[in-house]
Amino acid sequence: MTNLTVVSVKNLQHSYGEKSVLKGLDFSLQAGRVYGFLGANGAGKTTLINLLLGRLKASQGSIEVLGNKAGSAAAKAKVGAMLQIGSLPANLTVIEQLNLFASYYKSPMSVSKALRLSDLNAHENTQFSKLSGGLKQRLLFAIAIIGDPQLVFLDEPSLAMDVNARQQMWQTIRQLKAQGKTVVLTTHYMEEAEALSDELFILNKGKIVAQGSPSELSHSMQLSEVSFASDLSEEAITALLPEWQWQIVAGKATTQCKAPSMLLKQAFAQGLSCDLLSVKPSSLEQTFISLTETAELKDTASANSASDKSAKEQAA
């Protein structure tokens, strides 16, 4: 099952009028894996999900979902989706909602199983309008999996959930993966992306700027987080070690760097004691920031180069 391609995207481009949102994406997704798509607001994540679901028609390129055209009846029968903005009939109870959506599929999951997997047994007779934000998210998740889909899209699934509910959802996602299902996840929680994703795609301004497992992406940046106890201010430590950007929180100085040995050599030369010293691989969050910043710099350099070339051609 893990060698089965469930999504194939080739030269995918999409624009809203003159505004280009996605710019030539190429990737494929295999069965039995969890894929995380990360990007700042406006990176193109929501547009991409809508295209994969067939809710939008691509300006250019091709999309195949489970061997069918995205959005076709054959694809929809095997796909479940939990979108970031979702609403349901206010006066229907949880169990009524699940029975309704289960009726749309030929071979749905049992309602009792969906209730258990989404931890909603205690709320099955509660109307949608009376559910808390976190419970509404759980119900939307249950609806996404009620059709027993092969491919599940989860857009910010744990939004508004407490810690216990989030952990329960993570466990269910892992169960779906173990059953050979494919999960496409978008999230702003770096901990969630790192805990669940087999592979990550980093989107920036409509392009995939990095792809790989969380550990592979962190290693590719070769960044380390260096921290030590300090009673100096941020300004003072920056004056002593100006090549790095520092943060001082609760008496701990922290920075990210590619050469920790060089940093520490300079710190000791400046007479810093570096008590409670810690050197560890950079977090996924810092890797994400670094990757997007690098992409921004490349885009700026490319734009400047094109502008300079145009100016020289006009002058000639």
Side-chain angles (χ1 to χ4, degrees):
M1 285 291 292
T2 54
N3 293 324
L4 175 66
T5 297
V6 295
V7 174
S8 178
V9 171
K10 297 178 180 178
N11 191 32
L12 181 61
Q13 301 181 45
H14 193 70
S15 301
Y16 296 109
E18 296 183 357
K19 182 180 179 182
S20 179
V21 179
L22 296 178
K23 305 170 184 178
L25 305 190
D26 290 281
F27 63 87
S28 62
L29 309 180
Q30 273 63 53
R33 293 174 65 81
V34 179
Y35 294 92
F37 284 80
L38 303 179
N41 291 333
K45 301 188 302 298
T46 299
T47 297
L48 175 59
I49 296 299
N50 284 325
L51 287 165
L52 295 177
L53 287 171
R55 302 180 73 200
L56 290 174
K57 183 178 180 181
S59 302
Q60 189 173 326
S62 65
I63 306 172
E64 277 196 4
V65 176
L66 295 162
N68 300 285
K69 183 178 179 181
S72 66
K76 287 181 178 179
K78 303 174 184 178
V79 172
M82 175 185 177
L83 302 182
Q84 191 171 350
I85 300 175
S87 187
L88 297 168
N91 61 338
L92 291 186
T93 65
V94 167
I95 197 165
E96 288 171 339
Q97 307 271 9
L98 291 176
N99 279 319
L100 173 64
F101 280 89
S103 70
Y104 299 153
Y105 297 91
K106 289 183 178 180
S107 302
M109 180 184 297
S110 69
V111 170
S112 60
K113 183 177 180 180
L115 285 169
R116 176 174 55 81
L117 290 176
S118 55
D119 196 21
L120 281 171
N121 291 93
H123 308 279
E124 63 179 56
N125 294 314
T126 304
Q127 292 180 336
F128 181 75
S129 61
K130 296 180 181 179
L131 296 174
S132 67
L135 289 174
K136 287 178 179 178
Q137 285 292 100
R138 285 196 237 170
L139 177 55
L140 292 171
F141 176 70
I143 289 171
I145 64 174
I146 192 67
D148 200 19
Q150 295 181 32
L151 173 62
V152 186
F153 292 92
L154 302 176
D155 192 9
E156 299 288 346
S158 61
L159 192 69
M161 286 187 179
D162 60 32
V163 174
N164 290 334
R166 184 174 296 145
Q167 290 292 334
Q168 171 69 29
M169 176 173 286
W170 289 6
Q171 184 58 34
T172 302
I173 291 171
R174 293 186 181 106
Q175 290 178 27
L176 295 174
K177 171 187 169 180
Q179 294 169 15
K181 300 180 188 300
T182 305
V183 179
V184 175
L185 172 75
T186 65
T187 179
H188 282 95
Y189 295 120
M190 291 296 162
E191 180 188 5
E192 184 166 75
E194 192 163 18
L196 295 175
S197 301
D198 296 298
E199 189 167 357
L200 291 168
F201 294 85
I202 309 297
L203 285 173
N204 187 66
K205 292 185 177 179
K207 299 178 181 179
I208 296 173
V209 297
Q211 176 183 346
S213 69
S215 59
E216 286 171 345
L217 292 180
S218 294
H219 181 72
S220 70
M221 295 304 295
Q222 296 181 331
L223 287 174
S224 296
E225 180 181 281
V226 178
S227 65
F228 50 82
S230 177
D231 56 3
L232 295 176
S233 67
E234 193 170 308
E235 292 75 14
I237 197 168
T238 298
L240 292 171
L241 301 169
E243 294 182 35
W244 298 275
Q245 294 183 336
W246 294 90
Q247 286 186 328
I248 309 292
V249 179
K252 183 172 78 171
T254 303
T255 191
Q256 312 289 330
C257 67
K258 290 188 176 182
S261 58
M262 182 182 296
L263 182 154
L264 294 173
K265 182 178 180 180
Q266 292 191 29
F268 294 142
Q270 293 290 350
L272 295 173
S273 61
C274 299
D275 293 332
L276 303 178
L277 174 65
S278 171
V279 180
K280 59 184 181 181
S282 182
S283 67
L284 177 61
E285 181 173 7
Q286 186 58 45
T287 300
F288 168 75
I289 293 170
S290 298
L291 286 167
T292 51
E293 285 180 346
T294 300
E296 292 283 353
L297 289 172
K298 287 181 178 179
D299 284 346
T300 300
S302 177
N304 289 339
S305 175
S307 178
D308 290 345
K309 182 179 178 180
S310 177
K312 288 178 181 179
E313 288 176 349
Q314 290 179 8

